[in-house]
């Protein structure tokens, strides 16, 4: 398992190094975790542990970097299950002058390169299901997948509670598994840090990758508008306050970076432990993490 | 009171006043979405199962459950009377015992599970000894254990036993399966 993980990490670094990406390290202990409704940060003294390096990575783009990637630990409070562990390894990469479809093409190339390096082939057997990682990835819109598997369209009328519940209990279990699947164009209400689609502002340019029914990565065309970003953070802070969850300060350094001008960019976060789990045909993250919480 | 994050396999909770035990538990969370705690639960009274999804803000009540060690005393119509070491009596209805009622032996020690002070289950020792009251005569010399025939114990419970078992023999029954285990002594 350690050898497989090491091969996967090396393949990831080789992939990005060959494409002219800069490997970076950003702070793990931070003053202002990104405000998201359902992601809780772990306190670390008078600061927090990062839930993702996203905001710092985008500050690097604003500062002039064009291609950056980072591999490292992230922490999320209260997440413990077969596919969740409070400390986990996240791969994030960001590119300027790219949108979420460019990142999709790059992700496909990465998955192929990693599988080839780790296993010597581009198919896997996961929990008795044969999955061809190449060349076809099935792309479904979120609206289409919900219409088919849950019987309603969250883009036309959004219901947050029902959306999450149906996503895990009706949509995800029924996604095709013969090849990787991409769920694309999320309702604007769950845009997070994605920009709205210019030709249909009801949806955000965001996609998620599923392999074998397991969510592996989340990508955006990045929101670069500082006013809308601040408004989203403030709305999220208000919602968290109403729910009685901790509210983190706004990352003013990040917002200042957007003010100074973030070029059009796209980025992605990919769960490395889950990728190892898939390539190792392991049932749970517990089987691939060398050290884990009880 | 339990919050959703307390849920785990084996935990006992109360739903609409009925005690349930969580038999399967899974924490799931869609990308950027809310935490969902998927549970399969078994009704501790009827044994029926159901699945439920809980959210972070949901709470569940803790059932008031108590286990008491008691001895079986006597049967009174459809009711079974147990007594503890302080000579306190407890009456359990036949339907709560199910097939276990056939395996009761006087003075046998059992664990009775109570919910809100009402008995909902009786746990017996794994093995009990019972006398065969009725069975066809077995073939002499046949000690094969893989050929079975019906036999009745006191109370009319029918059990499959090897051919060599005769009326009046005392056998051991596995109360987990309700099946024959071995012969204790012959008539």
């Amino acid at each position: 398992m350690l050898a497989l993980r090491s091969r996967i990490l090396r393949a990831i670094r080789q992939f990005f190094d060959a494409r002219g990406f800069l490997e970076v390290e950003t702070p793990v202990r931070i003053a202002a975790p990104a405000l998201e409704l359902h992601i809780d940060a772990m306190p670390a003294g008078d600061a927090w542990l990062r839930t993702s390096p996203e905001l710092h990575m985008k500050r690097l783009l604003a500062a002039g970097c064009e291609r950056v990637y980072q591999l490292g630990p992230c922490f999320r409070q209260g997440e413990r299950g077969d596919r969740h562990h409070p400390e986990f390894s996240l791969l994030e990469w960001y590119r300027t002058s790219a949108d979420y479809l460019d990142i999709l093409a790059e992700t496909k190339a990465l998955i192929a390169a990693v599988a080839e390096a780790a296993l010597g082939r581009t198919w896997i057997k996961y929990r008795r299901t044969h999955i061809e990682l190449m060349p076809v990835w099935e792309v479904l819109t979120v609206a289409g997948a919900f219409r088919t598997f849950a019987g309603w369209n969250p883009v036309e009328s959004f219901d947050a509670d029902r959306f999450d519940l149906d996503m895990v209990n009706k949509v995800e279990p029924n996604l095709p598994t013969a090849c990787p699947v991409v769920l694309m164009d999320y309702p604007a209400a769950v845009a997070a840090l994605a920009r709205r689609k210019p030709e249909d502002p009801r949806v955000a340019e965001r996609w998620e990758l599923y392999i074998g029914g397991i969510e592996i990565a989340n990508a955006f065309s990045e929101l670069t508008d500082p006013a809308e970003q601040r408004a989203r953070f403030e709305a999220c802070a208000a919602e968290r306050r109403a729910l009685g969850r901790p509210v983190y300060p706004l990352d003013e350094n990040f917002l200042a970076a957007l003010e100074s001008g973030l070029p059009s960019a796209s980025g992605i976060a990919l769960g490395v432990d889950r990728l190892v789990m898939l390539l190792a045909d392991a049932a749970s993250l517990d089987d691939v993490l060398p050290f884990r919480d009880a | 009171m339990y919050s959703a994050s307390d849920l785990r396999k084996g935990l006992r909770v109360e739903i609409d006043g009925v005690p349930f035990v969580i038999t399967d538990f899974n924490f799931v969370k869609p990308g950027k979405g809310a935490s969902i705690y998927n549970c399969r639960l078994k009704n501790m009274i009827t044994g029926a199962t159901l699945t439920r999804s809980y959210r972070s803000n949901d709470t569940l009540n803790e059932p008031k459950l108590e286990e008491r060690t008691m001895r079986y005393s006597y049967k009174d119509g459809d009711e079974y009377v147990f007594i503890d070491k302080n000579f306190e009596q407890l009456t359990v209805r036949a339907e709560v015992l199910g097939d276990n009622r056939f395996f009761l032996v006087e003075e046998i020690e059992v664990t009775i599970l109570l919910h809100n002070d009402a008995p909902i289950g009786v746990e017996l020792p794994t093995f009990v000894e019972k006398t065969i009251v009725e069975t066809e005569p077995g073939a002499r010399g046949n000690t094969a254990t893989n050929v079975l025939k019906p036999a009745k114990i006191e109370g009319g419970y029918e059990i499959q036993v090897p051919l060599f078992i005769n009326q009046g023999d005392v056998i051991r029954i596995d109360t987990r399966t309700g099946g024959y285990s071995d012969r204790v002594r012959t008539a």
Side-chain angles (χ1 to χ4, degrees), chain B residues 21-136:
Chain B
V21 57
I22 299 176
T23 54
D24 228 335
F25 171 77
N26 207 5
F27 170 86
V28 290
K29 196 170 193 279
K32 309 278 178 199
S35 296
I36 292 167
Y37 305 80
N38 277 337
C39 299
R40 179 179 291 275
L41 302 119
K42 192 168 106 181
N43 184 318
M44 294 176 71
I45 295 171
T46 66
T49 60
L50 56 85
T51 56
R52 285 275 174 101
S53 296
Y54 294 100
R55 326 296 296 269
S56 301
N57 291 341
D58 289 336
T59 56
L60 284 109
N61 285 329
E62 194 175 337
K64 183 176 172 280
L65 293 166
E66 184 197 354
E67 282 186 348
R68 289 178 67 181
T69 304
M70 304 193 84
R71 286 177 185 280
Y72 173 54
S73 184
Y74 64 95
K75 176 173 184 267
D76 179 11
D78 249 2
E79 297 186 326
Y80 295 77
V81 179
F82 295 83
I83 196 158
D84 73 6
K85 60 178 189 298
N86 301 321
F87 305 104
E88 227 179 286
Q89 287 196 1
L90 187 71
T91 303
V92 179
R93 293 194 320 278
E95 65 259 33
V96 172
L97 278 150
D99 274 356
N100 271 351
R101 69 185 187 277
F102 297 113
F103 308 141
L104 290 170
V105 180
E106 236 176 85
E107 287 303 302
I108 193 177
E109 193 172 272
V110 301
T111 305
I112 301 180
L113 183 63
L114 300 110
H115 175 239
N116 295 333
D117 302 318
I120 59 165
V122 177
E123 198 185 311
L124 268 52
T126 310
F127 296 103
V128 296
E129 292 177 8
K130 281 285 177 185
T131 307
I132 301 291
V133 296
E134 190 186 321
T135 190
E136 295 290 315

